[in-house]
Each structure stands twice: as C-alpha cells, then as structure tokens.
C-alpha cells in the first residue's frame, strides 16, 4: 500500500478529482485553486490542511484558496518523491537515472511532473527518450525551476535583430543546428550548435532546453572546396548573452569576411 508523505501518515490520500484541483493550483504561478471547485470539496480539503483561504480586501470578490505545503505533500507518494529527488545525484542534469516502477513513472508523466526527452532535449519519438523532471516536478519538491526555452530560440532572435535569416535543420542522425546559407560564387554555409555529450561520443544540438547543457555555442563556416573557419564562444555568460555575442561576431564576419578575426 502506498504511503503518502504527510504530517499524519494515517491521513487519506486525495481522490483523483482532488489531485486534479491540487495539481491545477500547483501549476498556477499564484498557487490558487480553480474557482469551479465545489464548496463541499473546498471545505474538505481545507479541513485536511491541503489548501488555505487567501484574505481578500473587497467583499464582492469570491473567496480564493491557495495550495499549502501539506497540499503539495499530499500529491507525493514516497516512490514519486524518491524518483523526483533522485535528479539531485544524476550525472545527466535533470534526468531520472534510478530505476522507477513503471506505474509510478507513468503517473509522473501523466501529471506533467516528468517528461520524456532525447539527450538532445527534444521529444522526438523516433529516438531513444529518457525521463527528465519538469519544472512542475521541480516546483512540487521544492527544487529551483530551470529555463526550458530551446537554446536555438535565443540565437534565432539575436540573428533576427541583426537582419540575418537562419533556420533550424535536423539531419538523419538527429543532430540539429541553426543554419545560414549564402548562394552564388561567394556562397557559404554557416552552422551553429552546442555540443552534447552522449556516452562514448559527442552529438550536436540547437533545440535542447537552455538549462540542459553547459557547452558553449560553436560556429562552423564552410565555403568553396576546402575553406572553413570555426569559432567557439565563451561559456558561462548565460544563453541570451552568449547568443548575442555569437550573432555580433557572425554579423561582423559577414561585413568583412575576416576569418582570422572571427575565429579569435
């Protein structure tokens, strides 16, 4: 029988409807319970300490309820808590590497506390996927939330501000890059990506969430039969700043085609 993490270990677990309401409150940035919860259900959850009343200044406003720490604990079984908190010791950041019972993992995924991603950070169904904790899962167990915006979004936005057109392309190996091409006699191809370590080899990614990997941007420009220039950007500046620095460097290269200056 599942044991729930609560102040009173004999306290009943939430029903499926109560779980749905508590999860909705957990998803809300303000932690507020939905307005359409029946009065009797709100009263019962309040008596069990899962929600508390939020004082209102204007009487005409409806009474609102906010999920409490006890309400968060009521959503967690020991197995679920162990699975989510296991990311604290994972080699691959955010990934649930310890074995988890299929039933528990399915429930975590269904409730949005865990998602399946490739090691490049996308949900591609034709590649091997692994369980990663989501920001909702982090919120539930009190871990800091992470930036889930795809890394390429920052680089695409930085290039757009400078009038440079790019697109994200994925090859048959599943590697994806931000690409810019120029046609004609002076044509070239520029590819931008971040290295991702997979066991035994490196892959290349641009779509992974910003938090997922700490490798810097790499730019590879090829033209003619053997012309090539490569640049590795500084790391640790933050994804937005790193993308802006790369876009500036490439825009300057477009203006004067100074390979030595670009690669430095």
């Amino acid at each position: 029988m599942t044991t729930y993490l609560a102040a009173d270990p004999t306290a009943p677990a939430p029903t499926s409807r109560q779980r749905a309401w508590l999860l909705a409150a957990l998803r809300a940035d303000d932690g507020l319970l939905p307005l359409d919860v029946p009065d009797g259900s709100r009263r019962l959850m309040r008596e069990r300490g899962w929600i508390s009343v939020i004082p209102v200044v204007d009487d005409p406003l409806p009474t609102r309820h906010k999920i409490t720490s006890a309400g968060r604990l009521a959503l967690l079984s020991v197995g679920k808590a162990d699975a989510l908190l296991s990311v604290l010791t994972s080699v691959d950041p955010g990934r649930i590497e310890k074995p988890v019972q299929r039933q528990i993992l399915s429930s975590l995924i269904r409730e949005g506390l865990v998602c399946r991603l490739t090691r490049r950070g996308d949900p591609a169904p034709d590649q091997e996927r692994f369980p990663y904790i989501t920001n909702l899962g982090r919120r539930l167990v009190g871990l800091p939330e992470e930036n889930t915006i795809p890394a390429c979004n920052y680089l695409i936005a930085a290039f757009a501000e400078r009038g440079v057109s790019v697109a994200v392309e994925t090859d048959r190996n599943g590697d994806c890059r931000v690409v810019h091409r120029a046609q004609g006699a002076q044509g070239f191809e520029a590819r931008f990506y971040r290295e991702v370590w997979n066991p035994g080899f490196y892959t290349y990614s641009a779509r992974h969430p910003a938090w997922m990997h700490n490798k810097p941007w790499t730019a590879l420009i090829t033209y003619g039969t053997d012309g090539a220039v490569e640049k590795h950007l500084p790391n640790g500046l933050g994804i937005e700043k790193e993308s802006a620095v790369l876009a500036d460097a490439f825009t300057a290269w477009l203006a004067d085609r100074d390979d030595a200056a670009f690669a430095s």
Side-chain angles (χ1 to χ4, degrees):
M1 181 176 180
T2 303
T3 301
Y4 280 82
L5 304 177
D8 178 3
T10 64
T15 65
S16 59
R17 293 184 71 195
Q18 290 166 348
R19 287 187 68 81
W21 292 324
L22 291 172
L23 282 167
L26 183 69
R27 291 188 186 96
D29 290 337
D30 53 13
L32 294 179
L33 204 68
L35 282 169
D36 59 351
V37 178
D39 291 341
S41 297
R42 286 203 307 267
R43 182 172 60 254
L44 180 60
M45 289 191 288
R46 190 169 60 243
E47 290 172 353
R48 292 177 176 173
W50 298 339
I51 59 174
S52 61
V53 175
I54 300 299
V56 293
V57 177
D58 299 321
D59 290 340
L61 292 176
T63 301
R64 298 303 304 270
H65 293 77
K66 188 173 184 177
I67 188 171
T68 64
S69 297
R72 288 182 170 85
L73 289 174
L75 289 169
L76 280 170
S77 67
V78 172
K80 287 184 175 181
D82 284 348
L84 294 175
L85 290 172
S86 71
V87 301
L88 291 172
T89 57
S90 297
V91 175
D92 185 4
R95 178 177 160 189
I96 298 174
E97 296 175 340
K98 67 171 293 182
V100 179
Q101 291 182 11
R102 181 178 298 180
Q103 184 178 2
I104 292 176
L105 184 60
S106 296
S107 179
L108 288 169
I109 293 173
R110 184 172 61 252
E111 293 180 337
L113 304 171
V114 168
C115 63
R116 288 190 178 276
L117 300 172
T118 72
R119 292 203 72 259
R120 297 175 179 86
D122 60 53
D126 58 336
Q127 299 176 40
E128 186 175 8
R129 295 180 295 166
F130 305 92
Y132 285 84
I133 188 171
T134 64
N135 271 344
L136 188 66
R138 292 177 181 274
R139 183 178 297 182
L140 179 57
V141 294
L143 296 178
E145 295 183 36
E146 299 285 0
N147 184 353
T148 59
I149 297 174
C152 63
N153 288 21
Y154 289 97
L155 188 57
I156 291 171
F159 277 133
E161 289 178 1
R162 294 156 181 80
V164 178
S165 61
V166 293
V168 179
E169 297 181 359
T170 302
D171 63 22
R172 63 183 181 182
N173 296 320
D175 291 329
C176 62
R177 307 166 179 85
V178 175
V179 179
H180 173 85
R181 290 189 181 87
Q183 305 297 329
Q186 300 298 316
F188 64 88
E189 178 181 86
R191 291 174 286 175
F192 311 96
Y193 53 87
R194 295 167 82 94
E195 289 183 332
V196 182
W197 173 252
N198 276 293
F201 61 97
Y202 277 103
T203 55
Y204 307 97
S205 174
R207 286 199 178 98
H208 57 270
W211 66 267
M212 197 169 193
H213 304 289
N214 57 11
K215 288 283 189 178
W217 283 113
T218 293
L220 178 63
I221 302 173
T222 56
Y223 49 92
T225 57
D226 56 3
V229 58
E230 186 171 349
K231 182 179 181 67
H232 298 271
L233 269 291
N235 202 14
L237 303 176
I239 184 69
E240 188 168 11
K241 178 64 174 177
E242 292 166 13
S243 299
V245 170
L246 175 54
D248 282 338
F250 182 69
T251 303
W253 180 85
L254 284 175
D256 56 26
R257 298 289 186 92
D258 186 344
D259 287 0
F262 180 73
S264 62

